[in-house]
Amino acid sequence: METKTEEKTNFGFSFGRPTSTTTSISSFTIGGSNLHKTTNAAEKKEKVPVEIPVFSGFQSNLDSQWRDIQWTAERKETLMKTVSSYRPSCKEVTQARVLLLGPVHSGKSSFISSVQSVFNGRVTNRAMVGSSISTSFTKKLQSFSIRTQKGEGDTGLVLCDIMGLGDGEMTGLTLHDILSVIKGHVPEGHKFSPDQPVGAGTAGYVKTPSLKDKIHCVAFMVDASKISFHHKGLGSTFRQLREHISDLGVHQVALLTHVEQLCQGTAKDVSQVYKSLSIKETMSKAAALLGMSTSSIVPVKNYSSELDLDVNTDVLLLSAVDHILQYANLFFQDCTPQYRMPLSL
């Protein structure tokens, strides 16, 4: 007799109290890495763990890059100066606040640490990164001001880390809480709870947030190595998020992480990333998943097991930051009152 098992997931989008939806355990959880399937006794004996293949879909590289980028130390220095000197075009704000948003283990915390590593001149782990397979290490809102080289001060960029989407029944993240962060209501260090939505009763709740408290750009994080393994609901989740975020006037970009796991050539030499057909095709898949143009998506490779910096990896990371800042500045341009000629008397 076949026994059916069910589990609860808490990515029920609502503007009030987070809702709990019941789904069959035969589907993926958002950001999860394992496929759970209802089985009978005979099937259990033959069950084999599902593993995501590395370098699946590897193809020969193109002769030329499909995006023009220079892989030199000079280009790295130019990008570092660009990021270091960036300041929002709005006088009310000194730093652009960018929210990183994506499934569990999509590389949010690793991206923050990798970017800071470039400016530190050595690989560091500023944003703590966990090793759990199914849950998010980050449980609270954490803002990291990217510091300039040699401790000269802060850049005009703040990267905000938040728990991953779909972390399971104990750590679900609702649309209400995400939008509360973007609107600037959520205090720094707030620990999210599925049964305690952000509201006026939340400790430190920012009732009337200023422009500097708000999020000025959202960067969606998508794991390139798992893009074909996400359950079907992730696409609708991303689209729902993007629609509500757009209504707030906040521009969005996307970072395609772990690209080195798609292509052996890129794994050996990051400068091959824009010659890889596998990565180019995955960019298109990410665009379809997110419902955005490929021009808004950039690939990145985070530092993970490395002990030393690599110029090509740095160029790719800094190019992603430059990409983010361009979109963040669109927000400030939209907020800046346009000069109008006085009406003739």
Side-chain angles (χ1 to χ4, degrees):
M1 176 177 172
E2 185 174 313
T3 302
K4 188 174 182 180
T5 308
E6 294 186 338
E7 67 174 2
K8 293 182 179 179
T9 58
N10 275 318
F11 200 78
F13 277 167
S14 66
F15 285 92
R17 187 179 181 83
T19 60
S20 177
T21 58
T22 302
T23 57
S24 170
I25 203 168
S26 62
S27 63
F28 276 103
T29 55
I30 297 175
S33 58
N34 295 319
L35 179 63
H36 302 281
K37 183 180 180 182
T38 302
T39 59
N40 56 33
E43 289 175 323
K44 288 181 179 179
K45 293 180 180 179
E46 300 179 358
K47 187 175 181 180
V48 178
V50 176
E51 294 183 0
I52 298 175
V54 179
F55 306 141
S56 60
F58 168 73
Q59 302 176 46
S60 299
N61 282 357
L62 299 168
D63 292 332
S64 58
Q65 298 185 118
W66 41 275
R67 278 184 183 171
D68 187 23
I69 187 170
Q70 298 177 341
W71 305 96
T72 63
E74 290 75 18
R75 179 56 181 166
K76 172 186 172 180
E77 290 302 317
T78 298
L79 286 168
M80 288 184 71
K81 290 179 181 178
T82 299
V83 175
S84 297
S85 61
Y86 169 81
R87 292 297 179 272
S89 57
C90 179
K91 294 181 179 179
E92 299 176 46
V93 182
T94 58
Q95 292 181 299
R97 288 174 56 80
V98 177
L99 177 65
L100 305 182
L101 196 60
V104 179
H105 296 303
S106 53
K108 302 184 300 298
S109 300
S110 294
F111 177 71
I112 295 172
S113 292
S114 296
V115 171
Q116 189 59 69
S117 293
V118 177
F119 285 95
N120 286 347
R122 65 181 186 279
V123 177
T124 55
N125 188 18
R126 187 178 178 195
M128 299 298 290
V129 180
S131 59
S132 173
I133 295 176
S134 60
T135 60
S136 176
F137 185 83
T138 303
K139 304 295 183 184
K140 58 187 179 181
L141 175 64
Q142 294 178 289
S143 302
F144 297 88
S145 180
I146 301 303
R147 297 164 184 163
T148 57
Q149 199 172 22
K150 299 178 182 179
E152 297 173 355
D154 293 332
T155 66
L157 173 65
V158 174
L159 295 176
C160 302
D161 200 5
I162 196 173
M163 72 165 61
L165 304 181
D167 297 334
E169 63 181 61
M170 298 304 294
T171 54
L173 188 62
T174 65
L175 176 61
H176 169 82
D177 283 356
I178 293 172
L179 295 182
S180 293
V181 171
I182 295 173
K183 293 176 182 178
H185 293 301
V186 182
E188 179 69 14
H190 172 74
K191 189 172 182 179
F192 296 93
S193 174
D195 57 354
Q196 294 181 346
V198 175
T202 299
Y205 182 81
V206 183
K207 185 177 181 180
T208 309
S210 63
L211 192 60
K212 66 180 181 179
D213 297 318
K214 299 180 180 181
I215 293 297
H216 310 123
C217 179
V218 171
F220 287 101
M221 313 290 286
V222 179
D223 186 340
S225 69
K226 297 179 181 178
I227 200 161
S228 297
F229 298 85
H230 286 305
H231 85 92
K232 297 179 181 179
L234 183 59
S236 60
T237 296
F238 275 135
R239 285 177 172 78
Q240 188 177 6
L241 278 169
R242 294 197 61 236
E243 181 179 352
H244 287 285
I245 294 171
S246 295
D247 288 343
L248 296 176
V250 178
H251 294 272
Q252 302 139 59
V253 299
L255 306 184
L256 187 67
T257 61
H258 302 138
V259 292
E260 70 280 5
Q261 296 184 28
L262 285 181
C263 173
Q264 189 173 16
T266 301
K268 293 180 179 179
D269 182 0
V270 180
S271 68
Q272 299 300 304
V273 64
Y274 285 123
K275 289 185 178 181
S276 170
L277 280 172
S278 298
I279 294 174
K280 186 176 183 181
E281 291 176 355
T282 304
M283 291 273 286
S284 297
K285 291 180 181 178
L289 180 71
L290 293 161
M292 64 168 55
S293 169
T294 53
S295 63
S296 300
I297 306 173
V298 292
V300 294
K301 177 189 180 300
N302 293 327
Y303 285 110
S304 55
S305 60
E306 300 87 351
L307 296 178
D308 300 309
L309 297 180
D310 171 72
V311 171
N312 293 335
T313 301
D314 291 351
V315 168
L316 198 61
L317 286 164
L318 290 168
S319 296
V321 173
D322 183 54
H323 180 74
I324 289 172
L325 290 176
Q326 289 180 41
Y327 278 81
N329 221 40
L330 291 176
F331 176 89
F332 298 118
Q333 290 176 15
D334 294 341
C335 291
T336 303
Q338 299 297 313
Y339 176 79
R340 296 182 180 180
M341 294 292 291
L343 296 175
S344 300
L345 298 176

